[in-house]
């Protein structure tokens, strides 16, 4: 699993085996069972996750008990709660939708690794920028896009998840009811759309 994370980095930057070896001692691999809660809201965990195998999701639960899914993290995705990175209690739950193996990265891993291996610094900035860009687009989609546009964007972002994730979770991610998602899918099928 650590090797998979190394490969992930090497696809993004030129990092040698020796450089990776010098920073990898802080990494740990952990397995999570299907439906296992990885992180509770209020936790003070000090790490993020690189998913090597399986599927995680980050979500919150409102006062009425309704779930609001912020992100799915399939293979080769990173997920973390930014509050923890600022030494604040987490505001999201993270759980395993499938049996999952993940690399646990201390919150300061990328920062410390970039000090030891300077070629990681541009990647760290790019990851942060991509995260901000993703969140801005997500907020804009929730505020202004139709249910169909949101669903099509979901398929583009997560092309292999429609068969791996229950429909109610996709609806939660999109900010619509499962019934609305069924209507959207039916309308797209009538237009001969195939994901």
């Amino acid at each position: 699993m650590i090797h998979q994370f190394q490969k992930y980095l090497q696809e993004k930057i030129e990092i040698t085996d020796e450089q990776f070896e010098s920073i990898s001692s802080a990494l740990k691999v952990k397995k999570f069972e299907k439906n296992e809660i990885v992180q509770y809201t209020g936790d003070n965990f000090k790490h993020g996750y690189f998913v090597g195998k399986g599927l995680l999701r980050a979500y919150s639960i409102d006062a009425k008990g309704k779930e609001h899914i912020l992100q799915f993290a399939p293979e080769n995705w990173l997920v973390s709660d930014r509050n923890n990175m600022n030494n604040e209690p987490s505001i999201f739950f993270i759980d395993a939708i499938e049996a999952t193996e993940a690399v646990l990265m201390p919150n300061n891993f990328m920062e410390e690794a970039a000090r030891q291996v300077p070629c990681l610094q541009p990647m760290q900035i790019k990851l942060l920028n991509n995260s901000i860009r993703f969140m801005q687009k997500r907020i804009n989609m929730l505020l202004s896009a139709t249910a169909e546009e949101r669903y099509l964007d979901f398929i583009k972002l997560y092309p292999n998840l429609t068969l791996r994730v229950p429909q109610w979770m996709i609806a939660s991610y999109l900010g619509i009811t499962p019934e609305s998602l069924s209507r959207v899918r039916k309308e797209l099928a009538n237009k001969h759309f195939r994901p």
Side-chain angles (χ1 to χ4, degrees), residues 16 46 51 56 59 180:
T16 66
K46 304 290 185 223
V51 178
L56 298 177
Y59 62 99
S180 294

Side-chain angles (χ1 to χ4, degrees), residues 19-37:
Q19 288 172 320
F20 182 79
E21 185 68 31
S22 72
I23 61 172
S24 65
S25 63
L27 303 174
K28 293 181 173 69
V29 175
K30 188 160 184 187
K31 293 182 181 184
F32 302 102
E33 295 180 21
K34 180 178 180 176
N35 299 322
E36 182 177 347
I37 296 179

